[in-house]
Amino acid sequence: MADKKCLGNFPVADAPGYEGMLQCMRCGFCLPTCPTYVLSGRERSSPRGRIALAKAVADDQLEFTTALKEEAYFCLDCRACSTSCPSGVHAGQVMEACRNQAQAAYPLTGAVRKFREFVLQRMLPSPDLLETSMLPARLYQKLGIQWLVRHSHILRLGPDWIAKAEGMMPELHPPLRPQLPDVMPSVGPRRGRVAFFLGCIMTLMYPEVSRQTVKVLTHQGFDVITPKDQKCCGAPHLNEGDRETTRRLALYNLELFMALDVDAIVTDCAGCGAALKEYEELLEESGDHDMLHAFRSKVKDISEFLAEQGLRTENLKPLNKQVTYHEPCHLCHAQNISRQPRELIKAIPGIEFCELNEASWCCGSAATFSLKYTSESQLILDRKLENIRATGAELLVTANPGCHLQLAWGLKQANMPQQVVHITELLGMATV
Ligand code: SF4
Ligand code: SF4
C-alpha cells in the first residue's frame, strides 16, 4: 500500500473509505444504539461524531489528533450503528481503519512495540507457537498456583485489567486443533461435506465447544474436514490496527480453504465468521475477485449453515431447560444473523425459550476493550446482566468466545446462577 496516495491528513494509505463518510446525513438515529455514546453522552464518542472526526481529517480540516486515536480504540466495533443507520454508514469499520492510521501517527516504541509485533506478527499467525504459549497458563491452573493467587487476593494490588484477565480465564484444556482428525465422517444419511474453520480462541479456550460443533455437524449428516494448517482469521490484527498482517493471513486462508472440495466453510466463532466474510473487501485491490466472491459465499456461521440446511430433529432428545439467548455483535450486526440461532434453539424438544430484552446490545467484551476500559466495560455488562436476570432462564446461550468469557465472568461476579453455553453445546446436549 506504500505507493498509494494518502487521503487528506491521514498519515498513511489504506485510509477509511471517503464515500462511506459522505453518506452520513447527521440524522442521529444511531445515537441511542451506540453503547459508548450512551455511556459518555459525548458527541465525539458517537457514530456520528466519529464519522465527523474522520471526515475532518480526510478533508484536511483536522490533523490526525489523539482525539481520533482515542475514539478509534474506544469504539467497541460492535456495529450496532450499522444496523440502525438508514444511510448505510459503518462507523465501526471506519474506526477499525483509523486504528491502523493511529499506529502510523503515534507509533509505539521500545519493548512495547517489540512485544506487539511479536504477538501480532509471529505468535498469532503460528498455530504451533500460539498453542505452546498457553502451556504456562495450563500449568498455572494444574499446579494449583491459580488457587493460591485467587485465595491470597494478591491481584487486588495490581491494575484492574490483570485481575479481570485472570478471573475470566476458563478451565484450560489441551488445544483442540492437534486432536481433531483431518476428516470426521458423517453419521447417518450423508448430506454433504464442509470445512471447519477453528478459531484461535475456540481451540485454546473452548476446545470442548468446538468438539461439540464437529459432533453436531457429523450427526447432522456432514463430513467435516479440518485443515490443520489453517491460521488465525486476522480479526485480532484488525482490532489492533495491523491491516497488513490481516491481509497476509487472509490470502493464506483463502488459498488453503478454496483448494478444498467442500460445500461450505463453517465456523462456530462469530468474530472469525465476520472477519472471514470481510476478506472480499479487505483484499479487493490485491486478490482474485472471483475466488474472493466464491469464498465469501461459502463461509457460514454454524447457525446460519444449520438453519439453511434444515436441522434434523428426529434424533434430538428433549432438554427440559429454560434458555435465553445473547446475540454476539459480530453475528447479529456484522453478519445479520439473528433469526437462525433462535430457530435452532426453539427446535430442540423441551426447551422453553425466554427472549432476552436488548439481546443485541453489546456485552462489553469487544476483543481487548474489556481489559483496556474495565470500568466502562463493567457498566455495559451490568446492563446486560440485569436483562439476563429478568428472564429467569437457567442457560444463557451465545455464539462467540469473547461474549462467552465476558458473560461467564460477569455472572460469576454477580453470583447469578445462569450457565453460559455455546449454541453447539446446547445442540450437542440434545444430540444422541
Ligand atoms: S451514522 Fe447514520 S444514523 Fe448516524 S447520524 Fe450518520 S446517517 Fe444518521
Ligand atoms: S461500532 Fe458500536 S461503539 Fe462503535 S460507533 Fe458504532 S455503535 Fe458506537
Side-chain angles (χ1 to χ4, degrees):
M1 304 301 294
D3 53 341
K4 278 188 64 184
K5 202 171 169 301
C6 298
L7 173 68
N9 284 335
F10 282 108
V12 285
D14 211 5
Y18 189 62
E19 295 299 315
M21 299 179 212
L22 286 178
Q23 282 166 10
C24 179
M25 53 188 181
R26 305 193 54 75
C27 64
F29 285 176
C30 54
L31 301 182
T33 69
C34 173
T36 58
Y37 176 71
V38 171
L39 269 185
S40 67
R42 275 194 319 244
E43 175 71 14
R44 74 169 224 191
S45 301
S46 74
R48 183 174 67 184
R50 288 179 169 123
I51 292 290
L53 274 175
K55 185 167 176 298
V57 172
D59 288 339
D60 291 320
Q61 291 169 351
L62 187 71
E63 291 301 316
F64 193 100
T65 59
T66 50
L68 183 49
K69 179 189 170 201
E70 283 161 19
E71 288 310 330
Y73 282 97
F74 189 44
C75 171
L76 297 149
D77 196 18
C78 69
R79 318 273 177 101
C81 50
S82 300
T83 303
S84 65
C85 177
S87 293
V89 177
H90 298 290
Q93 279 149 297
V94 170
M95 288 301 105
E96 204 175 67
C98 283
R99 292 178 186 185
N100 195 49
Q101 299 289 327
Q103 289 300 326
Y106 302 97
L108 296 169
T109 53
V112 181
R113 181 191 179 110
K114 284 202 166 20
F115 179 71
R116 177 181 182 273
E117 284 173 357
F118 174 75
V119 172
L120 293 177
Q121 293 167 19
R122 290 206 46 213
M123 196 169 90
L124 282 167
S126 164
D128 292 333
L129 194 54
L130 191 58
E131 287 161 11
T132 307
S133 74
M134 291 302 287
L135 198 57
R138 293 215 309 278
L139 287 173
Y140 167 76
Q141 290 188 337
K142 262 207 153 30
L143 299 177
I145 305 168
Q146 182 175 51
W147 187 92
L148 282 175
V149 166
R150 288 187 176 178
H151 284 78
S152 68
H153 302 298
I154 193 172
L155 291 169
R156 287 187 193 157
L157 303 174
D160 289 351
W161 72 266
I162 292 186
K164 182 166 182 187
E166 202 285 333
M168 287 171 90
M169 204 189 297
E171 190 184 334
L172 298 171
H173 299 280
L176 182 62
R177 185 188 66 100
Q179 301 176 50
L180 271 183
D182 293 339
V183 183
M184 283 284 279
S186 58
V187 176
R190 186 176 176 277
R191 299 162 85 189
R193 177 181 162 95
V194 301
F196 183 38
F197 187 90
L198 179 59
C200 307
I201 309 287
M202 295 306 291
T203 183
L204 297 177
M205 302 271 187
Y206 292 114
E208 292 313 311
V209 172
S210 287
R211 209 187 290 281
Q212 293 301 309
T213 304
V214 173
K215 173 184 158 185
V216 169
L217 282 167
T218 54
H219 281 74
Q220 286 291 322
F222 299 95
D223 298 337
V224 180
I225 319 292
T226 307
K228 293 296 177 54
D229 37 3
Q230 59 183 282
K231 292 188 177 180
C232 172
C233 65
H237 305 80
L238 279 181
N239 185 61
E240 285 303 316
D242 180 359
R243 292 171 79 82
E244 276 315 300
T245 308
T246 311
R247 286 198 174 92
R248 275 203 295 280
L249 291 166
L251 280 168
Y252 176 88
N253 285 324
L254 180 73
E255 289 196 5
L256 179 74
F257 279 88
M258 288 310 284
L260 301 172
D261 179 20
V262 290
D263 308 317
I265 301 160
V266 178
T267 178
D268 57 8
C269 168
C272 297
L276 295 172
K277 288 178 180 179
E278 285 168 16
Y279 280 3
E280 194 173 6
E281 202 174 286
L282 189 77
L283 297 175
E284 66 180 344
E285 291 181 16
S286 53
D288 172 334
H289 284 210
D290 291 341
M291 195 198 252
L292 281 165
H293 191 65
F295 180 80
R296 167 70 186 78
S297 58
K298 279 193 175 190
V299 173
K300 304 281 176 191
D301 177 78
I302 181 74
S303 294
E304 179 185 21
F305 180 71
L306 292 176
E308 265 178 25
Q309 300 294 319
L311 187 73
R312 271 189 198 156
T313 53
E314 59 274 16
N315 290 329
L316 294 185
K317 69 174 182 196
L319 292 181
N320 295 316
K321 305 264 183 209
Q322 291 178 315
V323 173
T324 192
Y325 174 61
H326 159 74
E327 303 197 60
C329 299
H330 280 82
L331 203 55
C332 64
H333 298 305
Q335 300 184 59
N336 198 21
I337 297 171
S338 220
R339 166 187 54 82
Q340 299 89 327
R342 290 178 171 83
E343 282 177 6
L344 295 176
I345 296 169
K346 291 176 188 171
I348 301 172
I351 291 276
E352 184 187 333
F353 185 73
C354 320
E355 186 60 55
L356 177 66
N357 187 33
E358 301 183 330
S360 63
W361 187 261
C362 181
C363 66
S365 170
T368 51
F369 181 95
S370 70
L371 300 180
K372 284 180 182 157
Y373 300 94
T374 47
S375 52
E376 290 86 350
S377 171
Q378 184 66 53
L379 291 170
I380 299 171
L381 178 61
D382 287 344
R383 180 167 170 164
K384 178 65 67 180
L385 293 177
E386 275 316 302
N387 283 320
I388 294 167
R389 198 190 304 275
T391 64
E394 31 183 333
L395 293 183
L396 171 63
V397 176
T398 193
N400 188 54
C403 306
H404 201 139
L405 287 166
Q406 168 91 339
L407 291 165
W409 179 81
L411 289 165
K412 195 165 109 193
Q413 295 296 306
N415 285 318
M416 287 170 64
Q418 285 82 9
Q419 186 195 341
V420 185
V421 291
H422 190 283
I423 192 160
T424 57
E425 280 180 292
L426 190 75
L427 288 164
M429 284 180 216
T431 299
V432 285

